[in-house]
C-alpha cells in the first residue's frame, strides 16, 4: 500500500496514529505535507507536542500494514475517505483553522485530517442546509415529540438534520427528518463507522448517511464525544438544543456560538428538569434564540434582505458598527445589516481601506498558524475585491466583488462578530 506516495492514505494513517484535532499535527501537515509528517512520526522525529502518548509503540508500528488495514476497513464498511484536497471537503471546517486555538473562550480543535463518509451524495449536497438538533439522551415524551416535529418540519423545507445519532433527542430528530424525505438525516458519531454507537440505534444508522472523523476500529469515548461537538458545530449552519439537564446545555451550542453559527433553544415546562438546561442557556447567553418549531429555526437562518445585485428579497437597513473576525483580527469599522446571513453571521460592508486591512490580517494569520491552503483570501486589485475560496487547493475558485454606489464592498459569508468600538 503506497503510504509513501499517496497523501490521502498518509492522512488516514496519521488519523489512526494521532488524535484528530491536534493543532501541532495539523500545522505540520500544512507546512510539510502528510507524507513527510507520517515519515517523521514513525521515526519519532516530531516535536514532543505533536507526538502521541505514549510514543514507545511507534518503534514497532508498520505504516504499510496500517495503511492496508485502513483502506480495507474503509472498503468493507462501504465508505470513502475525503480530504481537504477534495472538492467535496466541507468549507465549514475551514473556520476551525482560522479561529485559532480558542474562540469566545472555548477551546477548539483543528480541522480533522480527513473524514470517513458513507453516503452516495457528495458532502456539499448533504450539508448545504444542515442544522444540528441535539439534546438529552434521557428525553421526555415532550422532548421527543418536539424533536420529531422539528426534524420533519426542517426536512420538509429542504434542510438536513445532523447530530451524533445518540438515544433520545438525537434519534427522534433524525427519525422525524426521515419521515419527510430520504437523505434528510445525517449522523456523525464519535467513533469509527464500524463501531456505531449506541448499539440500539443500529437500525436507524442503517437508514442514515454517515460521516466520521474517526478511522475504522475507533471505539466511542468521552474524549471523542467532546471533540465531536466542535466538528458537528462546524459542519452545520446552526444548532438547536431541545432538552438538557442543568449545566448540560453548552456543548454543541457553545461551540456553535464560538464559530459564529446561530444557536437556538426550545423552551419547556418549568417543572421539567430536562428543560432546565435550555432555560439556563437562554437566560445566560443572550445570543441564543428561543424557537418553538421548524419555521422559527429557518427564520433565524434565512436573511430576508435586499442588496443591489445580490438577489435579496426584502429591503434592510445598514448601521455603522464594528466587527471582528474571530482568531484573525479586528475590530473593523463597517456598515452592518440589521439581519444575518444564511449561517447566522452578520452581513457587513467595508471601505477599500478596511478591506486592505482585513486582507493583510488574513495573510498574517495564515503565516502565523501555517494555514497556507484551504482558507478564504482576499485581494484589492484595481478597485475590485478578488475573493478566493479554498486557496491553494485543486478546488480553488475566485469571485469578483465590485464596490456599491456608496463605495463599500460587501464581504458576505464571513464569520463576523459584532463588537464594541475600540477605546478612543
Amino acid at each position: 500500500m503506497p503510504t509513501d506516495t499517496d497523501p490521502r492514505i498518509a492522512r488516514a494513517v496519521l488519523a489512526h496514529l494521532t488524535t484528530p484535532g491536534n493543532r501541532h499535527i495539523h500545522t505540520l501537515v500544512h507546512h510539510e505535507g502528510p507524507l513527510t509528517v507520517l515519515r517523521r512520526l514513525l521515526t519519532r522525529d516530531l516535536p514532543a507536542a505533536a507526538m502521541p502518548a505514549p510514543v514507545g509503540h511507534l518503534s514497532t508500528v508498520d505504516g504499510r500494514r496500517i495503511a492496508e488495514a485502513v483502506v480495507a476497513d474503509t472498503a468493507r464498511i462501504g465508505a470513502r475517505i475525503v480530504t481537504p484536497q477534495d472538492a467535496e471537503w466541507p468549507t465549514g471546517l475551514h473556520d476551525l483553522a482560522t479561529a485559532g486555538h480558542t474562540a469566545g473562550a472555548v477551546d477548539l480543535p483543528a480541522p480533522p485530517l480527513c473524514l470517513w463518509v458513507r453516503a452516495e451524495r457528495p458532502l456539499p449536497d448533504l450539508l448545504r442546509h444542515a442544522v444540528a438538533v441535539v439534546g438529552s439522551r434521557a428525553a421526555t415524551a415532550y422532548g421527543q415529540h418536539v424533536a420529531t416535529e422539528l426534524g420533519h418540519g426542517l426536512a420538509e423545507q429542504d434542510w438536513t438534520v445532523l447530530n451524533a445519532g445518540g438515544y433520545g433527542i438525537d434519534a427522534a430528530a433524525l427519525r422525524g427528518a426521515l419521515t419527510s424525505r430520504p437523505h434528510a438525516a445525517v449522523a456523525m458519531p464519535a467513533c469509527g463507522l464500524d463501531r456505531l454507537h449506541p448499539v440500539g440505534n443500529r437500525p436507524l444508522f442503517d437508514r442514515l448517511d454517515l460521516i466520521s472523523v474517526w478511522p475504522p476500529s475507533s471505539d466511542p469515548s468521552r474524549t471523542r464525544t467532546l471533540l465531536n461537538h466542535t466538528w458537528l458545530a462546524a459542519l452545520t449552519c446552526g444548532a438547536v438544543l431541545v432538552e438538557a439537564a442543568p449545566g448540560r446545555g453548552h456543548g454543541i451550542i457553545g461551540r456553535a456560538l464560538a464559530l459564529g453559527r446561530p444557536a437556538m433553544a426550545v423552551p419547556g415546562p418549568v417543572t421539567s428538569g430536562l428543560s432546565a438546561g435550555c432555560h439556563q442557556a437562554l437566560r445566560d447567553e443572550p445570543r441564543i434564540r428561543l424557537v418553538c418549531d421548524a419555521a422559527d429555526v429557518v427564520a433565524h437562518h434565512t436573511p430576508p434582505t435586499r442588496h443591489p445585485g445580490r438577489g435579496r428579497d426584502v429591503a434592510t437597513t445598514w448601521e455603522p458598527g464594528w466587527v471582528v473576525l474571530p482568531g484573525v483580527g479586528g475590530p473593523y469599522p463597517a456598515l452592518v445589516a440589521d439581519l444575518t446571513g444564511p449561517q447566522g453571521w452578520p452581513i457587513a460592508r467595508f471601505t477599500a481601506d478596511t478591506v486592505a486591512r482585513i486582507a493583510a490580517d488574513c495573510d498574517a494569520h495564515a503565516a502565523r498558524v501555517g494555514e497556507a491552503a484551504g482558507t478564504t483570501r482576499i485581494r484589492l486589485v484595481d478597485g475590485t475585491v478578488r475573493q478566493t475560496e479554498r486557496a491553494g487547493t485543486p478546488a480553488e475558485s475566485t469571485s469578483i466583488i465590485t464596490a456599491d454606489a456608496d463605495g463599500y464592498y460587501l464581504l458576505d459569508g464571513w464569520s463576523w462578530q459584532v463588537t464594541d468600538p475600540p477605546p478612543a
Side-chain angles (χ1 to χ4, degrees):
M1 190 61 57
T3 58
D4 54 346
T5 59
D6 191 333
R8 179 185 304 273
I9 297 176
R11 282 179 175 270
V13 174
L14 282 169
H16 180 86
L17 294 175
T18 66
T19 300
N22 183 311
R23 286 200 172 270
H24 301 284
I25 290 289
H26 181 259
T27 299
L28 286 167
V29 167
H30 271 284
H31 277 304
E32 304 178 16
L35 297 169
T36 299
V37 174
L38 177 58
R39 177 185 55 76
R40 292 183 61 189
L41 175 69
L42 294 176
T43 57
R44 290 187 281 186
D45 183 35
L46 290 179
M51 295 294 289
V55 300
H57 72 289
L58 291 174
S59 61
T60 60
V61 165
D62 185 337
R64 185 177 295 271
R65 181 168 297 178
I66 292 176
E68 291 173 349
V70 168
V71 171
D73 288 342
T74 301
R76 173 175 53 82
I77 60 179
R80 63 182 182 274
I81 297 171
V82 178
T83 76
Q85 280 63 51
D86 294 321
E88 66 171 310
W89 183 257
T91 56
L93 292 174
H94 293 317
D95 293 337
L96 289 170
T98 59
H101 290 264
T102 61
V106 175
D107 290 330
L108 299 175
L113 296 172
C114 60
L115 297 171
W116 277 263
V117 179
R118 195 187 79 185
E120 293 181 1
R121 300 169 67 194
L123 289 178
D125 290 349
L126 286 179
L127 303 174
R128 182 171 59 90
H129 286 149
V131 178
V133 181
V134 299
S136 176
R137 288 173 293 179
T140 66
Y142 164 81
Q144 293 198 50
H145 171 77
V146 171
T148 301
E149 290 297 308
L150 274 175
H152 181 84
L154 287 167
E156 276 193 322
Q157 299 185 60
D158 203 29
W159 288 70
T160 299
V161 173
L162 172 68
N163 58 45
Y167 288 133
I169 297 300
D170 284 18
L174 294 169
R175 290 191 178 102
L178 289 175
T179 62
S180 176
R181 59 182 176 85
H183 305 295
V186 181
M188 186 176 178
C191 54
L193 295 184
D194 58 345
R195 303 291 173 90
L196 293 172
H197 180 81
V199 175
N201 279 352
R202 290 288 177 86
L204 174 61
F205 285 126
D206 288 342
R207 302 169 59 198
L208 302 173
D209 292 315
L210 300 175
I211 303 170
S212 181
V213 168
W214 309 98
S217 302
S218 298
D219 291 315
S221 70
R222 176 172 173 77
T223 298
R224 288 171 176 164
T225 297
L226 294 175
L227 286 169
N228 216 49
H229 286 166
T230 303
W231 294 314
L232 270 168
L235 289 176
T236 61
C237 299
V240 184
L241 180 67
V242 177
E243 278 191 326
R248 301 295 297 273
H250 290 286
I252 295 177
I253 295 295
R255 284 153 179 80
L257 288 172
L259 291 168
R261 272 62 164 171
M264 293 149 278
V266 176
V270 296
T271 55
S272 172
L274 285 178
S275 287
C278 294
H279 299 160
Q280 181 182 23
L282 288 164
R283 181 177 63 250
D284 294 347
E285 175 50 74
R287 291 177 294 172
I288 297 177
R289 305 293 185 90
L290 185 152
V291 295
C292 297
D293 54 26
D296 288 347
V297 175
V298 173
H300 286 311
H301 288 85
T302 306
T305 63
R306 178 187 296 277
H307 194 73
R310 305 302 199 280
R312 307 293 186 184
D313 297 325
V314 180
T316 189
T317 59
W318 300 87
E319 296 291 341
W322 295 82
V323 298
V324 296
L325 191 58
V328 177
Y332 306 109
L335 294 179
V336 183
D338 58 343
L339 294 168
T340 58
Q343 290 185 307
W345 300 321
I347 302 172
R349 297 192 291 143
F350 305 89
T351 64
D353 288 344
T354 304
V355 170
R357 181 181 158 204
I358 294 168
D361 286 346
C362 289
D363 290 347
H365 175 77
R368 184 169 65 250
V369 301
E371 290 297 331
T375 55
T376 299
R377 312 292 281 278
I378 57 173
R379 293 285 182 272
L380 189 60
V381 180
D382 297 330
T384 62
V385 173
R386 299 184 182 182
Q387 180 170 308
T388 302
E389 307 285 347
R390 301 176 182 269
T393 73
E396 175 180 306
S397 63
T398 299
S399 57
I400 303 299
I401 303 169
T402 59
D404 299 321
D406 56 5
Y408 280 77
Y409 296 86
L410 174 67
L411 299 185
D412 205 353
W414 292 60
S415 53
W416 309 113
Q417 290 187 8
V418 177
T419 189
D420 295 328

